[in-house]
Amino acid sequence: MSSSIKIESVVKEKTRMGECPVWEERETALVYVDINSQKVCRWSPLSNEVQSVSVDARVGSVALRQCGGYVIALGTRFAFLDWDTQAVTTILELEQDKPNNRFNDGKVDPKGRFFAGTMAEETAPGFRARHQGALYTLYPDHSVIKQLDQLDISNGLDWSLDHRTFFHIDSLAYAVHAFSYDVHTGKIACPKLLYHLEKEEQMPDGMCVDAEGKLWVACIDGGRVIRIDPETGKRIQTVRLPTPRITSCCFGGKDYSEMYVTSAYDGLDETTLAKEPHAGEIFKQLPSFPES
């Protein structure tokens, strides 16, 4: 089913590659990254202002810390970011043998572990070394394990409401996979294909889970987010957005009923950009959840 939900552009300050939105209750703000501008950003819906902190490498993901501040995955390292001082403190360097790799999407699991994956950058237009990426988990004691390797572009991730299943996207597989997940150890196992994207949906990017346990997948170059029922593996809703490069999504707002959707303008040529005035903006929707 295709939905005609009202979409509102709420952050007009454009991002080259907006990604990894996460709602921060204590700041009443949406936190996200602009990967290619090497910035962590924070937008307040109350003031409608965007603040940002520049870092020294492409930053793939950001997550909240219980004690305040953020954990980020930038370049090929995990680090803490103190928003007030703008200090970045490295926790651990990884993949130093892969100079073309960088971290991409990441998210904190139900027990406070930070999952984040890597990918190879293009070394020439349209050329990317294959199977160079991996998925890591940073534990609260700062230890790190590798959960998956041989990935192309480790991307969207989230957990089922009962904390028994982990969902993950490797973008160049054009699919969402489900893994068994042990909430006590943080380990994942037993991958199975959940959903393979259709041609017009293009490539899967970021992902989140809603209050009903359904998945929302951002389709980069598909100009949409799609809603998938993990019980059946079927798409149950499509929401089209007013720009093609849709990158990620999360729920936020006072009661987490608002979906925020990030986008990008990098990757669009000048002719296309002239026709896409909303490229790189962040959108808000109040989704309805029809089951047809």
Side-chain angles (χ1 to χ4, degrees), residues 198-260:
E198 296 176 9
K199 187 175 181 182
E200 71 271 12
E201 292 167 344
Q202 298 286 344
M203 186 188 291
D205 198 333
M207 170 172 61
C208 68
V209 170
D210 66 29
E212 296 179 5
K214 306 297 193 287
L215 309 184
W216 289 89
V217 176
C219 301
I220 193 162
D221 298 323
R224 68 193 73 187
V225 289
I226 57 174
R227 190 174 188 234
I228 298 164
D229 185 340
E231 298 297 317
T232 64
K234 303 289 186 189
R235 183 189 69 230
I236 53 176
Q237 194 175 357
T238 297
V239 176
R240 298 177 193 278
L241 288 113
T243 191
R245 308 217 79 199
I246 299 302
T247 53
S248 194
C249 50
C250 77
F251 285 89
K254 188 174 61 175
D255 54 2
Y256 286 84
S257 64
E258 301 165 338
M259 184 193 283
Y260 291 95

Side-chain angles (χ1 to χ4, degrees), residues 94-135:
L94 294 158
E95 298 191 357
Q96 290 173 289
D97 59 329
K98 294 183 176 181
N100 295 318
N101 271 23
R102 68 161 172 84
F103 267 110
N104 200 39
D105 210 352
K107 193 168 284 182
V108 170
D109 84 350
K111 292 290 187 182
R113 311 171 187 106
F114 185 37
F115 281 56
T118 59
M119 58 175 278
E121 294 269 36
E122 289 188 352
T123 51
F127 179 78
R128 186 191 314 276
R130 298 295 303 270
H131 311 304
Q132 297 300 302
L135 178 70

